[in-house]
Amino acid sequence: CRRKMEERMKRINKKKQLIYTYIEENIKEIIIISLIFIIGVVFGILLINNVKDEGKKEIITYVNTFISNIKQGNSIDKFYIVKTDIKKDVLIGLILWIAGSTVVGIPIVYGIIGYRGFCFGYTIAATVPITVTIIAAHFSLIFSEMDTLETPAE
C-alpha cells in the first residue's frame, strides 16, 4: 500500500513538474494571449457601456422576453442549442488548429482570442445590470407584499 502511494506521489510530482516546465517555457505566449483576451473583454464592456439607451432597452427586452417564455413553460430545444454550440466550437477549434500551425495564421488565432474576450465582456456587461434589475424587482415585490401584510385594515 505504501509503495503504491509513493508511485502515485511520483506521478503527481512528474505532472506538476511537467506543468511548471511548460509554463516556464511558454510564459511569453501565455502573457500575450492573456493580454489579448483581457483587451477583448475591455472592448466588449466599453461597447455595451457606450450603447445608447435604445440599444440597452432592446437588450433588456430580449432577455426579459426569453425569461418570461421560460417561466410560462415554453420549452427550449436544449438538444438543438447544444448541437449548434458544439458545431461552432469544433469549427473554431479547427480554424485555430489550422491557423496556429502556420506562421501566417498566428494573427488569426490572436483575432479569435480577442473576439472571444470581446463576446465575454459584452455578455457580462449586458447581463449584470439586467440581473441586478431583476433581483431588485423581486426584492421590491417581496417588500411591498410584506408592507401590505403589516398594514392594519381600517
PDB file of all heavy atoms in Angstrom, residues 76-87:
ATOM      1  N   ILE A  76     -37.533  24.894 -24.354  1.00  0.00           N
ATOM      2  CA  ILE A  76     -36.408  25.251 -25.197  1.00  0.00           C
ATOM      3  C   ILE A  76     -35.818  23.945 -25.710  1.00  0.00           C
ATOM      4  O   ILE A  76     -35.671  22.983 -24.957  1.00  0.00           O
ATOM      5  CB  ILE A  76     -35.349  26.021 -24.394  1.00  0.00           C
ATOM      6  CG1 ILE A  76     -35.941  27.298 -23.834  1.00  0.00           C
ATOM      7  CG2 ILE A  76     -34.129  26.318 -25.228  1.00  0.00           C
ATOM      8  CD1 ILE A  76     -35.039  28.017 -22.876  1.00  0.00           C
ATOM      9  N   ASP A  77     -35.508  23.908 -26.983  1.00  0.00           N
ATOM     10  CA  ASP A  77     -34.908  22.711 -27.559  1.00  0.00           C
ATOM     11  C   ASP A  77     -33.437  22.669 -27.152  1.00  0.00           C
ATOM     12  O   ASP A  77     -32.564  23.191 -27.849  1.00  0.00           O
ATOM     13  CB  ASP A  77     -35.067  22.723 -29.079  1.00  0.00           C
ATOM     14  CG  ASP A  77     -34.673  21.406 -29.707  1.00  0.00           C
ATOM     15  OD1 ASP A  77     -34.347  20.464 -28.957  1.00  0.00           O
ATOM     16  OD2 ASP A  77     -34.704  21.320 -30.945  1.00  0.00           O
ATOM     17  N   LYS A  78     -33.172  22.066 -25.998  1.00  0.00           N
ATOM     18  CA  LYS A  78     -31.820  22.035 -25.442  1.00  0.00           C
ATOM     19  C   LYS A  78     -30.868  21.259 -26.348  1.00  0.00           C
ATOM     20  O   LYS A  78     -29.716  21.637 -26.500  1.00  0.00           O
ATOM     21  CB  LYS A  78     -31.847  21.412 -24.046  1.00  0.00           C
ATOM     22  CG  LYS A  78     -32.612  22.236 -23.049  1.00  0.00           C
ATOM     23  CD  LYS A  78     -32.719  21.540 -21.718  1.00  0.00           C
ATOM     24  CE  LYS A  78     -33.639  22.317 -20.804  1.00  0.00           C
ATOM     25  NZ  LYS A  78     -33.930  21.604 -19.580  1.00  0.00           N
ATOM     26  N   PHE A  79     -31.367  20.184 -26.946  1.00  0.00           N
ATOM     27  CA  PHE A  79     -30.517  19.382 -27.821  1.00  0.00           C
ATOM     28  C   PHE A  79     -30.042  20.210 -29.016  1.00  0.00           C
ATOM     29  O   PHE A  79     -28.879  20.154 -29.391  1.00  0.00           O
ATOM     30  CB  PHE A  79     -31.255  18.130 -28.296  1.00  0.00           C
ATOM     31  CG  PHE A  79     -30.443  17.268 -29.209  1.00  0.00           C
ATOM     32  CD1 PHE A  79     -29.407  16.490 -28.709  1.00  0.00           C
ATOM     33  CD2 PHE A  79     -30.700  17.247 -30.569  1.00  0.00           C
ATOM     34  CE1 PHE A  79     -28.641  15.708 -29.551  1.00  0.00           C
ATOM     35  CE2 PHE A  79     -29.936  16.465 -31.424  1.00  0.00           C
ATOM     36  CZ  PHE A  79     -28.910  15.698 -30.908  1.00  0.00           C
ATOM     37  N   TYR A  80     -30.941  21.000 -29.595  1.00  0.00           N
ATOM     38  CA  TYR A  80     -30.586  21.841 -30.743  1.00  0.00           C
ATOM     39  C   TYR A  80     -29.532  22.870 -30.341  1.00  0.00           C
ATOM     40  O   TYR A  80     -28.568  23.102 -31.071  1.00  0.00           O
ATOM     41  CB  TYR A  80     -31.830  22.537 -31.299  1.00  0.00           C
ATOM     42  CG  TYR A  80     -31.526  23.525 -32.383  1.00  0.00           C
ATOM     43  CD1 TYR A  80     -31.203  23.092 -33.671  1.00  0.00           C
ATOM     44  CD2 TYR A  80     -31.534  24.888 -32.137  1.00  0.00           C
ATOM     45  CE1 TYR A  80     -30.905  24.001 -34.669  1.00  0.00           C
ATOM     46  CE2 TYR A  80     -31.235  25.802 -33.129  1.00  0.00           C
ATOM     47  CZ  TYR A  80     -30.924  25.357 -34.393  1.00  0.00           C
ATOM     48  OH  TYR A  80     -30.618  26.249 -35.379  1.00  0.00           O
ATOM     49  N   ILE A  81     -29.701  23.495 -29.177  1.00  0.00           N
ATOM     50  CA  ILE A  81     -28.756  24.511 -28.712  1.00  0.00           C
ATOM     51  C   ILE A  81     -27.380  23.892 -28.492  1.00  0.00           C
ATOM     52  O   ILE A  81     -26.366  24.437 -28.919  1.00  0.00           O
ATOM     53  CB  ILE A  81     -29.278  25.191 -27.428  1.00  0.00           C
ATOM     54  CG1 ILE A  81     -30.520  26.022 -27.757  1.00  0.00           C
ATOM     55  CG2 ILE A  81     -28.206  26.065 -26.796  1.00  0.00           C
ATOM     56  CD1 ILE A  81     -31.213  26.593 -26.552  1.00  0.00           C
ATOM     57  N   VAL A  82     -27.347  22.734 -27.828  1.00  0.00           N
ATOM     58  CA  VAL A  82     -26.069  22.073 -27.576  1.00  0.00           C
ATOM     59  C   VAL A  82     -25.410  21.657 -28.894  1.00  0.00           C
ATOM     60  O   VAL A  82     -24.202  21.829 -29.088  1.00  0.00           O
ATOM     61  CB  VAL A  82     -26.263  20.852 -26.644  1.00  0.00           C
ATOM     62  CG1 VAL A  82     -25.015  20.001 -26.574  1.00  0.00           C
ATOM     63  CG2 VAL A  82     -26.663  21.297 -25.255  1.00  0.00           C
ATOM     64  N   LYS A  83     -26.218  21.123 -29.818  1.00  0.00           N
ATOM     65  CA  LYS A  83     -25.684  20.676 -31.102  1.00  0.00           C
ATOM     66  C   LYS A  83     -25.064  21.838 -31.883  1.00  0.00           C
ATOM     67  O   LYS A  83     -23.954  21.727 -32.407  1.00  0.00           O
ATOM     68  CB  LYS A  83     -26.802  20.016 -31.920  1.00  0.00           C
ATOM     69  CG  LYS A  83     -26.310  19.371 -33.210  1.00  0.00           C
ATOM     70  CD  LYS A  83     -27.422  18.592 -33.895  1.00  0.00           C
ATOM     71  CE  LYS A  83     -28.383  19.554 -34.554  1.00  0.00           C
ATOM     72  NZ  LYS A  83     -29.377  18.896 -35.413  1.00  0.00           N
ATOM     73  N   THR A  84     -25.768  22.976 -31.945  1.00  0.00           N
ATOM     74  CA  THR A  84     -25.223  24.115 -32.686  1.00  0.00           C
ATOM     75  C   THR A  84     -23.987  24.690 -31.995  1.00  0.00           C
ATOM     76  O   THR A  84     -23.041  25.106 -32.667  1.00  0.00           O
ATOM     77  CB  THR A  84     -26.279  25.213 -32.878  1.00  0.00           C
ATOM     78  OG1 THR A  84     -26.790  25.604 -31.612  1.00  0.00           O
ATOM     79  CG2 THR A  84     -27.400  24.748 -33.779  1.00  0.00           C
ATOM     80  N   ASP A  85     -23.987  24.709 -30.657  1.00  0.00           N
ATOM     81  CA  ASP A  85     -22.811  25.202 -29.937  1.00  0.00           C
ATOM     82  C   ASP A  85     -21.599  24.310 -30.177  1.00  0.00           C
ATOM     83  O   ASP A  85     -20.485  24.799 -30.363  1.00  0.00           O
ATOM     84  CB  ASP A  85     -23.093  25.302 -28.438  1.00  0.00           C
ATOM     85  CG  ASP A  85     -23.938  26.511 -28.086  1.00  0.00           C
ATOM     86  OD1 ASP A  85     -24.107  27.380 -28.952  1.00  0.00           O
ATOM     87  OD2 ASP A  85     -24.431  26.577 -26.941  1.00  0.00           O
ATOM     88  N   ILE A  86     -21.815  23.002 -30.178  1.00  0.00           N
ATOM     89  CA  ILE A  86     -20.701  22.085 -30.424  1.00  0.00           C
ATOM     90  C   ILE A  86     -20.175  22.268 -31.842  1.00  0.00           C
ATOM     91  O   ILE A  86     -18.960  22.280 -32.068  1.00  0.00           O
ATOM     92  CB  ILE A  86     -21.121  20.626 -30.153  1.00  0.00           C
ATOM     93  CG1 ILE A  86     -21.295  20.419 -28.652  1.00  0.00           C
ATOM     94  CG2 ILE A  86     -20.106  19.646 -30.718  1.00  0.00           C
ATOM     95  CD1 ILE A  86     -21.852  19.072 -28.255  1.00  0.00           C
ATOM     96  N   LYS A  87     -21.083  22.428 -32.809  1.00  0.00           N
ATOM     97  CA  LYS A  87     -20.640  22.651 -34.192  1.00  0.00           C
ATOM     98  C   LYS A  87     -19.783  23.906 -34.292  1.00  0.00           C
ATOM     99  O   LYS A  87     -18.734  23.916 -34.939  1.00  0.00           O
ATOM    100  CB  LYS A  87     -21.837  22.774 -35.131  1.00  0.00           C
ATOM    101  CG  LYS A  87     -22.485  21.470 -35.499  1.00  0.00           C
ATOM    102  CD  LYS A  87     -23.635  21.714 -36.455  1.00  0.00           C
ATOM    103  CE  LYS A  87     -24.371  20.441 -36.804  1.00  0.00           C
ATOM    104  NZ  LYS A  87     -25.526  20.690 -37.687  1.00  0.00           N
TER     105      LYS A  87
END
